[in-house]
Amino acid sequence: MGGQIVECVPNVSEGRRSEVVDAIADAVRRTEGVRLLNVQSDASHNRSVITFAGPPAAAAEAAFALCARAVALVDMNEHRGEHPRLGAVDVVPFVPIAGVTMEEAVGLALALGARIWEVLRLPVYFYAQAARRPERVRLPDIRRGEYEGLRAKMADPAWAPDVGAATPHPTAGAVVVGARRPLIAYNINLTTADVGVAKKIARAVRESSGGLVGIQAMGVASAGGQAQISMNLLDVATTSMATAFEAVRREAQRLGAEIAESEIVGLVPLDALVDVARASLRLRSFERAQILETHLME
Amino acid sequence: MGGQIVECVPNVSEGRRSEVVDAIADAVRRTEGVRLLNVQSDASHNRSVITFAGPPAAAAEAAFALCARAVALVDMNEHRGEHPRLGAVDVVPFVPIAGVTMEEAVGLALALGARIWEVLRLPVYFYAQAARRPERVRLPDIRRGEYEGLRAKMADPAWAPDVGAATPHPTAGAVVVGARRPLIAYNINLTTADVGVAKKIARAVRESSGGLVGIQAMGVASAGGQAQISMNLLDVATTSMATAFEAVRREAQRLGAEIAESEIVGLVPLDALVDVARASLRLRSFERAQILETHLME
C-alpha cells in the first residue's frame, strides 16, 4: 500500500451476533482497493469497531457500503449495550495516514454524509475536524441522550442534524461522520464489578472534568462483568497509554480497587507501543530504527 | 529485502574514535547487497556493535571486509575498556532471519573463519551453534583471560584456536566467529556508581549462576559512571526484557540500590517490545496485527 492512504474506523451497534458483524465487514472486503485491517466486537458494549484503509475514493466507497449494510441489518429498537450510541452505524471517522491532508479527510466525511442522507435517508451529524458547529466537535456531546432520546433531541432546533430531516431513521437512528487524527481506543478492567468505582475513576482521569490532556473516559461494565474504564486517547504524544494506565492505577488504589487487565481496541500506532516500552523500562535514547522489522519490511 | 536474509552483528573493540568506527562500518556500506542497519558505540565499553543484513553470500563478504578493516585500524595493545574482549574484532555472529537455516548460518561462520585466518592471519575460535567443542559454546568461557591473557591461554592445548596458529595476532588478538539465534543486548544502569553492586546483581540474575533462563549478565561501569548490569537476553520468549528489568529491580532494591535507566544496544525484534507493553499494561489478547504499521509496510 503506497501513495495516498486514509484509514476509516466505523463503530457499528452490533457486537453479539457474529454473522451480522461478518456481513457488515464483508461490505468492506468486497470493495476494491481497500484493505480490512481489523474487526473487534465487544459483547457487553454490543458494538464492533471495524478498521480499514485505502486510497481516499475507495475508502469512501467502502464506508458507504458498510453503512448501507448496517442500516439494513441492525434494528436500534432492539439494541441494548453498555456503550452510548445514536444509531446502527454510530460513528464513521476518517483518519489521514499518508499523503492525505486533514482537509481532504474532512471533504470525504462531508461527501459521505450527503450520500448517506440521499440514499439511505439516515440523518447525519458531522463531528471532530468535520464539525459544522463548535458544540458538535466532541462526540459525547452529540451522543448525549442516546438513541432512546434521539427523537426529542432532534426536535430541538439546536440539535437539528447537519444533513437530513430532523427525525430519526425508524430503525437506524442517526449517524455521526467526521475526520480526526489517529486515536487509541483503550479499556482498563478493574478487579471489582462496581461500575460506580469505574465512573469515579473515569471522571478523575478525563480531560473534560479536569483530568489528563486528550483522555475521554467513561465507566461501564465489561463483557466479563468487571467494572471498566473505557477510554479514547486522542493525543498519545502528550498522554501515553502508560500514563493513562498509571493514572487509573493510582485512582483505583485510592478507591481500594485494582487493575485486572487492559485492552487495546482495534489498531494502535507502533510509536504508542514503543512509548510504553520506553516508560516501563526507562529506556534511554531508543529509536524506532532499532526495531529489526522496520528495516526488513521496507 | 525479500528472499534469504541473514543478520550479522560484529562487535569491534573501538567505541571512542568515531572516525575509526565510521571507517569500519564503511566496509559494510561499500559491500553490494547488504544493508547497514545500526551502529552503536559505547565509550565506556570502548566497543561498537555493528548490525547489518542481507543475502548469505553478501553478508559473508561484508563481514570479511569489516574484519579486514578492523584488523588494520585497531591496535589491541592500546585498547582499554569496560567490556571483556579477545581482539580487534571481538565477535562475529551470524543470525538466520528469513529463508536461512541455522545450518547455513553455521556454514557461513566456518567459511568466514577459514578466510580470516588465510588472509588476515588472525586466529579464530568458533562459538555458539558453530562451536566445534562443547566448552566453546559460551562466549564468556572463550573470552576469559581477555586480550591481555590471550598468549598464555593459547599456549594451553585445550585453548588452541579452531583455525590458525596458537599465538595471538600481534595487534588484533583473536576473533570469535559463530552462528546464533537472535538475542537482545540489554543494559541496565543503576543510580549508584558502585560496580560491586552491579556484579552482585549480575550474579543473581544470570542463568550460569542459577538465575533466569537465557540471561547472560555482568557488572561493569557505564559511560556515565553508573554501575551497569550488561546483559544478553538469549531467549526472550522465556525471559523477556520486562522480566529481566523486574528481576534486576528487585535485586537492586534488596541491596539498597535503584534502576536509573536501561538501554537496548543495537536491534530488537518487534515482538520483544510488544511483550514489554503486554506485561506493563497487563494487555489482554493483543495481537501483533493490531499494530497499524504491520499492515501499511506490507
Side-chain angles (χ1 to χ4, degrees):
Chain A
M1 287 172 103
Q4 288 194 299
I5 299 173
V6 67
E7 184 193 41
C8 186
V9 195
N11 288 213
V12 300
S13 294
E14 177 58 64
R16 292 172 190 168
R17 296 174 299 163
S18 64
E19 69 285 4
V20 174
V21 176
D22 274 358
I24 293 170
D26 220 41
V28 174
R29 276 192 207 94
R30 286 165 183 275
T31 306
E32 202 163 344
V34 301
R35 189 185 292 191
L36 181 63
L37 301 179
N38 188 262
V39 178
Q40 206 157 342
S41 298
D42 188 304
S44 170
H45 291 185
N46 199 5
R47 185 180 181 88
S48 296
V49 177
I50 294 163
T51 309
F52 59 91
E61 195 58 39
F64 178 77
L66 176 145
C67 290
R69 194 68 68 92
V71 168
L73 297 177
V74 176
D75 183 352
M76 289 307 292
N77 302 302
E78 295 174 1
H79 185 270
R80 304 289 175 274
E82 278 288 326
H83 198 291
R85 71 286 181 265
L86 275 193
V89 189
D90 193 53
V91 59
V92 184
F94 289 99
V95 183
I97 298 290
V100 176
T101 65
M102 183 55 82
E103 288 62 39
E104 290 173 282
V106 168
L108 289 178
L110 300 181
L112 177 67
R115 189 175 174 196
I116 284 175
W117 168 247
E118 195 176 28
V119 181
L120 306 176
R121 294 285 133 178
L122 182 63
V124 177
Y125 293 94
F126 292 120
Y127 89 115
Q129 304 283 324
R132 306 287 90 191
R133 310 186 191 184
E135 66 274 21
R136 296 184 183 184
V137 170
R138 294 180 65 254
L139 198 48
D141 297 331
I142 303 175
R143 216 149 45 186
R144 194 165 297 122
E146 297 205 36
Y147 174 72
E148 288 72 12
L150 189 56
R151 184 168 299 275
K153 180 167 186 157
M154 287 179 116
D156 175 357
W159 284 103
D162 290 304
V163 188
T167 45
H169 183 286
T171 56
V175 62
V176 187
V177 178
R180 59 162 174 78
R181 263 172 266 286
L183 66 71
I184 299 173
Y186 182 53
N187 299 333
I188 296 180
N189 293 339
L190 305 177
T191 50
T192 176
D194 184 348
V195 174
V197 172
K199 285 183 193 294
K200 274 184 201 156
I201 295 172
R203 264 196 301 277
V205 301
R206 71 186 168 214
E207 180 169 9
S208 66
S209 47
L212 295 165
V213 170
I215 292 193
Q216 295 177 336
M218 58 187 176
V220 295
S222 79
Q226 300 151 308
Q228 176 179 90
I229 298 95
S230 179
M231 293 181 278
N232 283 330
L233 309 184
L234 308 178
D235 179 7
V236 283
T238 306
T239 304
S240 69
M241 286 191 286
T243 305
F245 183 92
E246 183 52 27
V248 167
R249 197 194 58 75
R250 257 200 320 267
E251 283 302 317
Q253 195 174 34
R254 236 173 39 82
L255 298 166
E258 246 185 280
I259 291 177
E261 61 190 14
S262 78
E263 174 191 31
I264 297 169
V265 183
L267 299 189
V268 61
L270 178 56
D271 280 341
L273 283 180
V274 169
D275 281 345
V276 171
R278 206 176 255 136
S280 70
L281 299 180
R282 297 181 212 167
L283 279 183
R284 184 163 78 94
S285 68
F286 182 78
E287 292 164 27
R288 193 173 145 142
Q290 285 182 253
I291 301 171
L292 182 65
E293 283 83 349
T294 61
H295 300 282
L296 302 180
M297 282 170 174
E298 273 166 23
Chain B
M1 290 173 101
Q4 287 194 300
I5 299 173
V6 68
E7 185 194 40
C8 186
V9 196
N11 289 213
V12 301
S13 294
E14 176 58 64
R16 292 173 190 167
R17 297 174 299 164
S18 64
E19 71 284 5
V20 174
V21 176
D22 275 357
I24 293 170
D26 220 41
V28 174
R29 276 193 207 93
R30 287 166 182 274
T31 306
E32 203 163 343
V34 301
R35 189 184 291 189
L36 181 63
L37 301 178
N38 189 262
V39 178
Q40 207 158 341
S41 297
D42 188 304
S44 169
H45 292 186
N46 198 6
R47 184 179 182 88
S48 296
V49 177
I50 295 165
T51 310
F52 60 91
E61 195 56 41
F64 178 76
L66 177 143
C67 289
R69 193 69 68 91
V71 168
L73 297 177
V74 175
D75 182 353
M76 290 306 293
N77 301 302
E78 295 175 1
H79 184 271
R80 304 289 175 273
E82 278 288 326
H83 198 291
R85 72 285 180 268
L86 276 193
V89 190
D90 192 53
V91 58
V92 184
F94 289 98
V95 184
I97 298 290
V100 177
T101 64
M102 182 55 82
E103 287 63 39
E104 290 173 282
V106 168
L108 289 177
L110 300 182
L112 177 68
R115 188 173 174 197
I116 285 175
W117 167 248
E118 194 176 29
V119 182
L120 306 176
R121 294 285 133 177
L122 182 63
V124 177
Y125 292 93
F126 293 120
Y127 89 114
Q129 303 283 325
R132 305 288 90 189
R133 308 187 192 185
E135 65 274 21
R136 297 185 182 182
V137 170
R138 294 180 65 253
L139 198 48
D141 296 332
I142 303 175
R143 214 149 46 188
R144 194 164 298 123
E146 298 204 34
Y147 175 71
E148 288 71 12
L150 189 56
R151 184 168 299 274
K153 180 167 185 156
M154 287 179 117
D156 174 357
W159 284 105
D162 291 303
V163 189
T167 45
H169 183 286
T171 57
V175 62
V176 186
V177 178
R180 59 163 172 79
R181 264 172 265 285
L183 65 73
I184 300 173
Y186 182 52
N187 298 334
I188 296 180
N189 293 338
L190 304 177
T191 50
T192 176
D194 184 348
V195 175
V197 172
K199 285 183 193 293
K200 275 184 200 155
I201 295 172
R203 263 196 301 275
V205 301
R206 71 187 169 213
E207 182 171 6
S208 66
S209 48
L212 295 164
V213 169
I215 293 192
Q216 293 177 338
M218 59 186 175
V220 295
S222 79
Q226 301 151 307
Q228 175 179 91
I229 299 94
S230 181
M231 292 181 278
N232 283 330
L233 309 183
L234 307 179
D235 179 5
V236 282
T238 305
T239 304
S240 68
M241 287 191 288
T243 304
F245 183 92
E246 184 51 26
V248 167
R249 197 194 60 73
R250 256 200 320 267
E251 283 302 318
Q253 195 174 34
R254 235 173 40 82
L255 297 167
E258 246 184 281
I259 291 177
E261 61 191 12
S262 78
E263 174 191 30
I264 297 168
V265 184
L267 299 189
V268 61
L270 179 55
D271 280 341
L273 284 180
V274 169
D275 281 345
V276 170
R278 206 176 257 137
S280 69
L281 300 179
R282 297 180 210 168
L283 278 183
R284 183 165 78 94
S285 67
F286 182 78
E287 292 164 28
R288 193 174 146 143
Q290 285 182 252
I291 302 171
L292 182 64
E293 283 82 350
T294 60
H295 300 281
L296 303 180
M297 281 170 174
E298 275 167 24

